[in-house]
Amino acid sequence: MAIRRAQTLLCLSKFKTNFVFGSLHRLFSSSSQNSNQFQNVGFIGLGNMGSRMVNNLVKAGYKVTVHDINRDVMKMFTEMGVSARETPYQVAQDSEVVITMLPSSSHVMDVYTGTNGLLLGENAIRPALLIDSSTIDPQTTRKISLAVSNCNLKEKRASFCSSCQQVEIIQFSIVSSIIDAGNWEKPVMLDAPVSGGVLAAEAGTLTFMVGGPKDAYVAARPILQSMGRTSIYCGGSGNGSAAKICNNLAMAVSMLGTSEALALGQSLGISASTLTEVLNTSSGRCWSSDAYNPVPGVMKGVPSSRDYNGGFASKLMAKDLNLAAASAEEVGHKSPLISKAQEIYKKMCEEGHETKDFSCVFRHFYNGKDEV
């Protein structure tokens, strides 16, 4: 009898567990595909990346309000039917979510905490979710995130996902804890820098590296998916910024190594096309050789094929290497390759190549030749 009772209880337990998680899976799957959770999105920073990200938000059906210090670009968007505001604070008043895409840490700090910033009147702000997609240092990210967490919401949001309210009919503690975690008591900030460059921003195929509370990341995913193909949760506040800095360090070093190898090959009598074929079918293969080749004439559709115009400017790479160096110094990490890459890209900028794509080191530092 005791054995039969235990078997019955076990079966019932399995049924309940499957019912709960099956129900949750269906509800959260449907809600993750529903971009109606947030409809009013503010966007600040309409440069080469931001302007294209806004276009994809509009295509996805979001009601977008924009701001930029460049009035001409704001006018371009208003002529497309997109609302524009004079200050970040005004954008915040119209938005449930605000995304920033700005050049540097100081710009982000000013937009959040400066005169007419997003956190003006910080006792109560309207946006429940603030997403910074700028490439800045993790320390600044964490300072701003703390400032955001000290604010209150003008209007408390009941839940990260409206359909989650349906789960209340399931009387299990695990469900209750999920619903409680979804309550918007305070505004939340995510750091979500991107990789992929202008072409990926245009195509909506960016990769987002996200730091911050995981439940906020889940809530933000439909918005991120409208602008990118991939989003990766990296952990707590500042970890998205840390991931981006490390990614760009690896990108700089691999570009320098690829450029040096291709230029050396030319000096040794091997054509860049031939050596590229060798690299891309051997252990030397990397993104810089097979997707973003630095030798003019080897690959179509990349900056090297258009005199290094467009793409990722050398001055931005220099900035990101400075961020990596500062972060490494703060944690006492030895990084000799950061120092060498910094030196090279600083030289590129000083010699007048700051607006050229960072792959121009092949021509202007290593004196590599165009492929005929």
Side-chain angles (χ1 to χ4, degrees):
M1 179 68 71
I3 294 175
R4 180 173 298 177
R5 177 179 173 79
Q7 290 175 333
T8 301
L9 289 172
L10 179 61
C11 290
L12 181 59
S13 174
K14 288 181 178 179
F15 170 78
K16 287 182 177 179
T17 301
N18 290 336
F19 175 68
V20 170
F21 285 101
S23 299
L24 287 174
H25 176 74
R26 289 190 295 274
L27 285 166
F28 282 108
S29 294
S30 63
S31 66
S32 68
Q33 297 168 2
N34 180 9
S35 63
N36 291 328
Q37 181 183 345
F38 297 112
Q39 276 299 297
N40 299 304
V41 178
F43 202 105
I44 299 171
L46 303 174
N48 288 333
M49 297 292 291
S51 59
R52 289 162 171 82
M53 293 164 73
V54 168
N55 286 335
N56 286 319
L57 285 169
V58 172
K59 289 176 185 176
Y62 290 99
K63 182 180 179 182
V64 183
T65 302
V66 300
H67 170 74
D68 195 275
I69 57 173
N70 185 333
R71 291 181 176 273
D72 290 337
V73 74
M74 281 208 295
K75 182 181 178 183
M76 180 184 74
F77 276 99
T78 56
E79 289 174 349
M80 294 165 49
V82 176
S83 298
R85 296 291 180 266
E86 293 295 318
T87 67
Y89 175 74
Q90 291 175 347
V91 171
Q93 299 314 296
D94 292 338
S95 307
E96 300 162 300
V97 179
V98 176
I99 302 169
T100 47
M101 179 55 119
L102 300 162
S104 69
S105 300
S106 61
H107 290 98
V108 178
M109 184 67 80
D110 185 60
V111 162
Y112 272 84
T113 65
T115 304
N116 293 317
L118 294 171
L119 304 186
L120 180 67
E122 60 184 22
N123 287 334
I125 64 174
R126 187 183 179 212
L129 185 58
L130 299 117
I131 303 172
D132 181 40
S133 289
S134 316
T135 300
I136 64 174
D137 61 281
Q139 295 79 15
T140 297
T141 292
R142 288 166 183 151
K143 288 178 184 176
I144 298 173
S145 179
L146 180 61
V148 170
S149 69
N150 287 331
C151 297
N152 294 308
L153 286 175
K154 283 186 176 179
E155 300 174 6
K156 180 180 174 182
R157 296 183 66 88
S159 168
F160 281 134
C161 122
S162 60
S163 62
C164 292
Q165 295 169 0
Q166 300 171 34
V167 188
E168 292 176 5
I169 61 173
I170 308 173
Q171 300 299 316
F172 296 120
S173 60
I174 186 171
V175 177
S176 298
S177 66
I178 290 174
I179 294 173
D180 290 342
N183 288 336
W184 290 104
E185 296 287 350
K186 296 274 191 177
V188 179
M189 179 186 177
L190 295 173
D191 46 294
V194 302
S195 182
V198 173
L199 294 178
E202 181 91 41
T205 58
L206 292 166
T207 293
F208 287 88
M209 295 154 263
V210 187
K214 190 163 187 179
D215 47 5
Y217 162 66
V218 172
R221 283 185 65 186
I223 296 174
L224 301 180
Q225 288 169 352
S226 71
M227 299 178 287
R229 176 183 295 161
T230 305
S231 63
I232 301 170
Y233 180 66
C234 300
S237 175
N239 282 15
S241 296
K244 177 59 187 293
I245 288 172
C246 293
N247 177 78
N248 280 21
L249 167 61
M251 183 170 71
V253 171
S254 68
M255 179 57 74
L256 292 172
T258 299
S259 296
E260 186 169 312
L262 291 167
L264 175 61
Q266 287 181 333
S267 297
L268 295 173
I270 308 172
S271 73
S273 295
T274 299
L275 187 52
T276 294
E277 185 177 0
V278 171
L279 292 175
N280 290 344
T281 55
S282 305
S283 56
R285 180 182 181 181
C286 65
W287 180 81
S288 297
S289 66
D290 75 353
Y292 211 82
N293 197 283
V295 183
V298 169
M299 185 176 292
K300 295 180 180 179
V302 294
S304 63
S305 70
R306 48 180 185 269
D307 196 29
Y308 300 104
N309 291 316
F312 189 62
S314 292
K315 64 180 180 181
L316 295 179
M317 179 55 81
K319 181 209 79 170
D320 290 356
L321 289 167
N322 290 339
L323 293 175
S327 296
E329 183 177 0
E330 180 160 331
V331 297
H333 186 77
K334 292 182 180 179
S335 301
L337 293 181
I338 293 180
S339 299
K340 190 59 183 179
Q342 265 186 302
E343 177 188 322
I344 292 173
Y345 278 102
K346 181 181 179 183
K347 181 179 175 64
M348 290 294 94
C349 293
E350 290 174 346
E351 294 181 352
H353 309 301
E354 68 273 9
T355 61
K356 295 291 187 179
D357 182 76
F358 80 109
S359 61
C360 76
V361 292
F362 172 78
R363 175 187 287 172
H364 298 299
F365 184 79
Y366 290 108
N367 298 315
K369 307 302 180 185
D370 294 7
E371 186 82 349
V372 178

